[in-house]
Amino acid sequence: SNYSAMVEHDMLPQTLQKPKNREQINQHNNNPQGSVYSTLDIGDITYRGSEEGKEEKYAALDESSFYPKDNKEVPPSTPSHPLNSALKSKREASPVLPPRNTTNNSSGLNLASNGGLETGIHSTRVCCLRLVPGDDLLDSLNQWAKRRNISAGYIQAAVGSTSTAVLRPAGKSNTKVLNGKFEILNLSGTLSKNGSHVHLSVADENCATFGGHLMSGTIVRTTAELVLGVIEGVEFVRKMDKRSGYKELFIKE
């Protein structure tokens, strides 16, 4: 017979371990009062046996049935019992996520941990948006964030094309203007009614690729299909960070 359990077998003390063979199962079924294993059910633990294609539940066990009726050991209901100690150690080793704010209301939110650099786990919602020829890509994203009162959002997916792309190269204060037919390869960034930070990469008709910091003046040529995420219980704010010399993202939750 084959048996499986939803807990590790080697976590259980010797007197608490599951039956080894069909003879022990029959002993339980014929004389449950005298069985070492009497009724087996502690929470989610279930033993199953199979014989000639038939599957049967061994027993639904209560914790007292893991040891003989005349056993003088400490009952499993007490904290010092070895089974409780093993399960307690298992629980303590499991990661515990911090509580989260379930609203998207910026009032009452404080800087996240590590000086506003890291949050706990939060849920997200999704919004879909399509831009049409002539729309300004960055301005449209900022208008969406303000119109929808988005405190913390991000670009999840984007495809489309531009007739003009205005990019600021890395480490430069001036911008580069690309006129012509360009396909949007990637658009990524964080969005908020408090300010956004977005990067764009595009390819021309020869598949030459250009990228940089997205600036206003980037115009949609045929379409821009966007999937935008909204993070609940978080607010993005931007303020001067002396470490970089720029207005950077600080996070509230």
Side-chain angles (χ1 to χ4, degrees), residues 39-219:
T39 315
L40 299 176
D41 198 1
I42 51 168
D44 295 331
I45 301 175
T46 305
Y47 293 123
R48 291 188 178 144
S50 60
E51 185 178 72
E52 297 178 358
K54 296 180 180 179
E55 184 180 70
E56 62 177 275
K57 288 186 179 178
Y58 169 61
L61 287 134
D62 84 20
E63 19 179 59
S64 65
S65 55
F66 275 107
Y67 62 98
K69 299 297 181 183
D70 59 352
N71 196 315
K72 303 302 182 184
E73 295 182 41
V74 179
S77 57
T78 63
S80 60
H81 191 275
L83 177 61
N84 285 317
S85 299
L87 294 178
K88 180 182 178 184
S89 299
K90 195 76 173 178
R91 285 194 299 269
E92 289 175 346
S94 300
V96 178
L97 297 176
R100 64 177 180 85
N101 189 325
T102 57
T103 70
N104 201 29
N105 186 343
S106 62
S107 62
L109 298 183
N110 299 312
L111 278 180
S113 62
N114 197 20
L117 302 183
E118 180 180 357
T119 72
I121 304 299
H122 292 263
S123 299
T124 62
R125 293 172 292 149
V126 174
C127 178
C128 301
L129 175 67
R130 186 201 160 201
L131 305 182
V132 298
D135 284 343
D136 186 295
L137 187 55
L138 180 60
D139 290 353
S140 296
L141 289 169
N142 285 329
Q143 289 165 12
W144 169 82
K146 291 178 180 178
R147 182 171 67 251
R148 296 288 183 178
N149 196 33
I150 303 300
S151 295
Y154 61 95
I155 301 168
Q156 187 166 313
V159 293
S161 65
T162 66
S163 57
T164 300
V166 183
L167 304 172
R168 189 184 72 211
K172 302 288 186 179
S173 57
N174 59 305
T175 59
K176 185 176 183 67
V177 179
L178 305 172
N179 293 309
K181 295 180 179 180
F182 291 88
E183 291 290 316
I184 295 174
L185 302 183
N186 187 63
L187 183 69
S188 62
T190 51
L191 308 172
S192 172
K193 61 186 180 182
N194 301 318
S196 302
H197 185 185
V198 182
H199 288 178
L200 170 71
S201 62
V202 294
D204 66 13
E205 56 189 7
N206 296 313
C207 294
T209 303
F210 305 87
H213 184 98
L214 177 64
M215 305 294 290
S216 294
T218 299
I219 306 301

